[in-house]
Amino acid sequence: MELQLALDLVNIPEAKQVVAEVAEHIDIVEIGTPVVINEGLHAVKAIKEAFPHLRVLADLKIMDAGGYEVMKASEAGADIITVLGVSDDSTIKGAVAEARKQGKQVMVDMINVKDIEGRAQELDAFGVDYICVHSGYDHQAEGKNSFEELAAIKRVVKHAKTAVAGGIKLETLPEAIQAKPDLVIVGGGITGQSDKKSVAAKMNQLVKHA
C-alpha cells in the first residue's frame, strides 16, 4: 500500500516547502487540480525537478482530448495523470494509449460515476492503471462514504490498482486501510496540520504495515 500527498491550495514555492517536509514519508506527490489551474503544468515540472525520486501525479481530471493532455503532462514530468470516469470511452482509451507510449500511468477518478461497478469493469478492460474512488469536496459535506464504492470496485477489477481519496485524516486512516486500497490519497489530513512531518510519518507507518 502506498501513500500519496495531494497538494491543492498552494503555489509552487509553498508546494516545494510542504513536499520537502514530508518527502521521506510519501510515495507520490499530487499536483491537485486547483494548483494546475492556478500555476499550469509548470507546477508539475517544478516538483519533479526538485524531487526526482518521488512520483508526481498531475490531477488534470481530463474530460476530453485524452491523448493530447496526457502527452503535455508527460512532457512536464508527470508519472501519473488523472482522467474522469464519466468521460467518453474514446477519451479514456486515447489517454491510456498515449500513457503507454510515454511510459506513464493513468488514474481514473470515479467522481460522479453513477454505476461504479459497471464502469470499473469497463475501465479495467481499457487497461487503466488505477481506479480511484473519490468523495469530492462537495460530496464530503454530504457525508458520502467512498469505502463501499471501493469494495464494489475491488470485486470486479482484475488488473487495475485501486485508490481512495477524499477527506482522509490520521483518525480515519485505519478505516481507509481496512478497505485495502493500493493507494491512499491524503490532502488536508497532512497539509492542514501544524506538524506535517510527524503526521505523514505516522500515516506512512500505518499504510506500510497494513
Side-chain angles (χ1 to χ4, degrees):
M1 203 179 287
E2 291 190 307
L3 182 61
Q4 175 172 312
L5 171 72
L7 298 173
D8 285 317
L9 304 173
V10 290
N11 57 32
I12 293 173
E14 288 164 352
K16 283 184 182 171
Q17 213 176 332
V18 174
V19 178
E21 268 184 73
V22 302
E24 63 190 291
H25 305 299
I26 61 172
D27 301 291
I28 300 169
V29 57
E30 169 188 333
I31 304 302
T33 316
V35 183
V36 176
I37 287 170
N38 293 333
E39 299 271 9
L41 286 169
H42 300 297
V44 173
K45 197 172 193 303
I47 293 297
K48 189 65 187 180
E49 282 173 1
F51 305 94
H53 67 290
L54 287 175
R55 277 173 291 154
V56 176
L57 177 142
D59 190 18
L60 300 191
K61 293 193 174 72
I62 295 170
M63 187 70 185
D64 189 22
Y68 175 78
E69 296 200 356
V70 166
M71 179 180 74
K72 297 318 278 182
S74 300
E75 284 171 8
D79 300 288
I80 308 168
I81 300 104
T82 64
V83 182
L84 291 177
V86 291
S87 306
D88 192 75
D89 290 358
S90 61
T91 300
I92 296 169
K93 287 175 180 171
V96 169
E98 185 61 32
R100 290 286 166 278
K101 207 191 293 181
Q102 305 285 351
K104 307 295 184 179
Q105 293 184 306
V106 167
M107 177 185 286
V108 175
D109 186 332
M110 300 295 271
I111 198 165
N112 255 20
V113 169
K114 299 291 176 256
D115 173 15
I116 289 277
E117 219 164 301
R119 190 57 170 155
Q121 240 168 332
E122 292 171 349
L123 295 167
D124 198 33
F126 296 161
V128 306
D129 300 284
Y130 290 91
I131 298 176
C132 178
V133 290
H134 185 180
S135 294
Y137 188 76
D138 300 330
H139 278 153
Q140 286 171 46
E142 299 159 15
K144 195 169 177 292
N145 185 335
S146 41
F147 303 125
E148 289 157 34
E149 295 182 346
L150 181 62
I153 289 173
K154 286 184 80 76
R155 276 199 297 276
V156 297
V157 298
K158 307 256 193 303
H159 310 290
K161 290 180 172 179
T162 55
V164 64
I168 297 169
K169 299 173 181 63
L170 190 54
E171 47 277 20
T172 58
L173 183 59
E175 191 189 353
I177 287 170
Q178 234 172 346
K180 294 188 168 57
D182 297 290
L183 181 59
V184 178
I185 302 170
V186 180
I190 292 175
T191 59
Q193 308 308 305
S194 51
D195 189 350
K196 298 173 185 55
K197 194 182 175 77
S198 81
V199 173
K202 283 176 196 156
M203 286 189 161
N204 188 38
Q205 189 78 11
L206 287 170
V207 164
K208 292 293 181 273
H209 292 93

